[in-house]
Amino acid sequence: MSLPWCNFTKAIVRQIPSTLAGAALRREEPTSPIDLSRARTQHDRYVKVLRELVETVVVLPPDDAYPDCVFVEDPAVVCDRRAVVCNLGHASRRGEAAPIRDALRRLGVSCFDMSSDATMDGGDVLFTGREFFVGLSERTNQKGVDFLATTFSDYPTHTVSVKDSLHLKSLLSMAGPSAIVVADTPAGKNLWQQIVQSAAHQYECIWVPDEKAANCLYINGTLVHRAEFPNSVKIFESLSCRRIEMSATELSKADGCLTCCSLLIT
Ligand code: GLY
């Protein structure tokens, strides 16, 4: 099935600032420090893969004042050439939105700024092409959900409660037009139950044993997934779609994942 959502033509990414390794937000201290050079090599490959999959990739320069600015998914939610520009849930990240808004406008996307009492990180928003699921989390509040629901009122918006992870998409992501890959963990199972209870459409669930493997990119028929988790890779290998494997060990140490590093535009 071909949904307009599956036909991305453009992507926005942002290079990694030199402050990432020391100052990016993280829920837990990683067992080894972030290797900045390796992070940049892995990110370069990510951008190269995006260039294979969409026509235009806009690469924004980094800003050392914002250690998390590589995670461009969080400052905006784009759908059908409209974008909600978020008040990011963590105060240290608020300034990341302005250059993203400018880049979106240059690409012809209409931007809608949230009211000041609303907060949202794009990592809490799963768009399936038919409906939105938005995680109420440490970063996203009900007013943020309400703003998104009003802006994209042509689609249903459902709220789910995110516990034990940073974002909704830390535990699940789209893996096909009707398929959602979900971490086979108590938190992932809880989210999947909430989705099944509220969804207007029926989705296939692809369970993966590794939490960090549950965040994939599904772009124009290709599934981009993490390479570092052999048991989850076996499950991806059994799917019939085209696949690209990718390592993201370093950004992962700052709770980054594959969807976090791009904004996709149809
Ligand atoms: N390090 C990503 C975030 O916490 O927003």
Side-chain angles (χ1 to χ4, degrees), residues 238-249:
S238 72
L239 304 176
S240 54
C241 63
R242 180 173 182 255
R243 297 178 305 107
I244 298 177
E245 294 186 16
M246 177 168 297
S247 295
T249 55

Side-chain angles (χ1 to χ4, degrees), residues 12 16 40 59 86 94-95 99 129 148-149 153 158 160 209 214 233 245 251:
I12 296 174
I16 295 176
R40 287 185 166 142
V59 182
C86 301
R94 297 268 156 85
L148 181 132
S153 59
H158 313 287
V160 296
V233 168
E245 294 186 16
L251 291 181

Side-chain angles (χ1 to χ4, degrees), residues 24-26 68 71 74 90 93 121 139 166-167 254-256:
L25 299 170
R26 60 206 85 183
D68 286 283
F71 302 124
D74 292 320
H90 196 286
R93 299 194 59 189
D121 281 9
R139 301 285 177 88
L166 175 60
H167 290 134
D255 300 321

